[in-house]
Amino acid sequence: MSDKSMKAAFSIEQSQKLAIANAFGRAAQHYDKSAAFQRQVGQQLVALMPTQVQSSKSSVIDIGCGTGYFSHELHHQGFEVTAADLSAEMLLQAHQRCGNHCQYLQTDVENIAMADDSYDFAFSNLALQWCNDLSVPLRELQRVVRFDGVIFFTTLMDGSLNELKHAWSHIDNKQHVNAFKSQQHIEAEITQSGLMIETLECKSITVYYSTAMKLMRDLKGIGATHLQQQRSSGLIGRQTFIELEHAYDKYRLKNGLLPATYQVCFGVLKNA
């Protein structure tokens, strides 16, 4: 790749990161109202972590901490916590929740502004899917986590929100839902990082809505409306949302609710 091409690729990547940070920054103040799914997944990830003894605290970096929900949880479990996020607005919300119980770091997971061997553990709940190559943030986490330390993470996988994707396909050919990596792709990029897999479990997790519009509002509420892939621009009108409701209605269950299914990868990786 020529120097000019490399500079162009770097510029696009930086632009994407800024767009992601801005999307989550706009959602920061109201994020928690729409983040039930994120909390459900994160609680399962926290359950995989060791129980801490108050007299012997271990340090953990909560990367992609958002509003600090799990930074707060990890603190109360006895960890010394650094809440880290790309978005300054999210970190402000985290500070309001956690106060002086945590340290705060605005940083990019692909270039963490911390020295080598700074933490015993790393925790990342539903943040790494925004990286183009999973091995890049994992190598950074490997760098800042001490030898024999452990990285706990969740990320979304291929097949997430298929109901929504299929409903949109009946309306137009534009992309409205992010594409995520397959399990095989995730495993390959973990191997590239040099980390050792202790456990890697993939689960389907379904949340339920009375309308497709409420799902769309939650996605907007958590800032997940930024698409990494290109799409045609333009506002979505009221008639389009009526058509979306009609298309999504084919998935309605006997209890009257609409499913929104996510494919989630739970990873426990050792720095060995």
Side-chain angles (χ1 to χ4, degrees):
M1 183 182 290
S2 67
D3 287 347
K4 185 175 181 180
S5 297
M6 289 179 66
K7 288 179 180 178
F10 179 78
S11 178
I12 291 170
E13 185 175 345
Q14 292 301 108
S15 177
Q16 287 178 341
K17 288 182 180 180
L18 180 60
I20 292 169
N22 288 340
F24 284 100
R26 287 191 297 270
Q29 290 189 8
H30 308 290
Y31 179 92
D32 289 334
K33 295 178 181 178
S34 301
F37 166 70
Q38 285 70 20
R39 290 191 291 272
Q40 180 182 351
V41 173
Q43 291 290 359
Q44 294 183 48
L45 186 61
V46 168
L48 299 176
M49 298 190 69
T51 302
Q52 291 299 292
V53 179
Q54 291 291 338
S55 60
S56 180
K57 290 187 176 182
S58 295
S59 58
V60 60
I61 182 170
D62 178 7
I63 196 81
C65 68
T67 62
Y69 184 91
F70 289 104
S71 298
H72 186 265
E73 182 97 355
L74 292 168
H75 162 71
H76 280 283
Q77 292 203 11
F79 292 93
E80 293 180 347
V81 182
T82 296
D85 205 280
L86 187 61
S87 165
E89 293 84 358
M90 283 293 192
L91 283 176
L92 179 60
Q93 296 298 313
H95 190 272
Q96 290 178 3
R97 168 175 268 131
C98 303
N100 295 326
H101 297 304
C102 298
Q103 295 182 336
Y104 302 93
L105 179 66
Q106 184 179 1
T107 195
D108 179 357
V109 66
E110 295 185 347
N111 187 21
I112 301 172
M114 290 298 295
D116 296 358
D117 307 322
S118 293
Y119 302 101
D120 298 303
F121 300 102
F123 177 96
S124 181
N125 183 46
L126 297 177
L128 300 185
Q129 65 264 15
W130 302 108
C131 299
N132 292 328
D133 182 348
L134 186 61
S135 69
V136 177
L138 289 180
R139 279 194 289 267
E140 268 296 273
L141 291 173
Q142 180 184 42
R143 181 184 66 79
V144 300
V145 169
R146 299 181 182 110
F147 180 76
D148 274 349
V150 184
I151 296 164
F152 299 82
F153 79 95
T154 58
T155 189
L156 294 181
M157 296 172 49
D158 182 41
S160 293
L161 294 174
N162 263 352
E163 300 98 339
L164 180 60
K165 185 184 297 184
H166 290 156
W168 273 117
S169 71
H170 292 288
I171 299 169
D172 59 37
N173 293 320
K174 299 174 185 178
Q175 179 159 352
H176 296 273
V177 180
N178 266 308
F180 299 107
K181 300 177 188 295
S182 66
Q183 180 177 348
Q184 183 179 13
H185 201 158
I186 290 171
E187 289 177 356
E189 292 183 348
I190 292 172
T191 299
Q192 291 171 17
S193 75
L195 291 160
M196 184 178 74
I197 297 175
E198 288 202 340
T199 62
L200 196 70
E201 184 178 3
C202 302
K203 301 180 183 180
S204 292
I205 298 178
T206 304
V207 291
Y208 300 92
Y209 293 89
S210 57
T211 66
M213 180 62 73
K214 289 188 176 180
L215 166 60
M216 296 292 287
R217 284 174 180 163
D218 268 3
L219 292 175
K220 182 178 181 180
I222 62 168
T225 51
H226 170 74
L227 291 180
Q228 293 163 304
Q229 299 79 23
Q230 293 295 317
R231 69 174 176 186
S232 299
S233 60
L235 296 175
I236 299 172
R238 181 172 179 274
Q239 182 59 37
T240 302
F241 279 119
I242 292 173
E243 293 174 12
L244 178 65
E245 288 286 358
H246 179 73
Y248 209 133
D249 203 57
K250 67 176 286 188
Y251 296 102
R252 194 173 296 278
L253 304 174
K254 290 181 179 179
N255 62 5
L257 297 177
L258 296 171
T261 305
Y262 294 86
Q263 306 301 326
V264 185
C265 177
F266 291 78
V268 180
L269 311 177
K270 190 165 185 178
N271 188 11

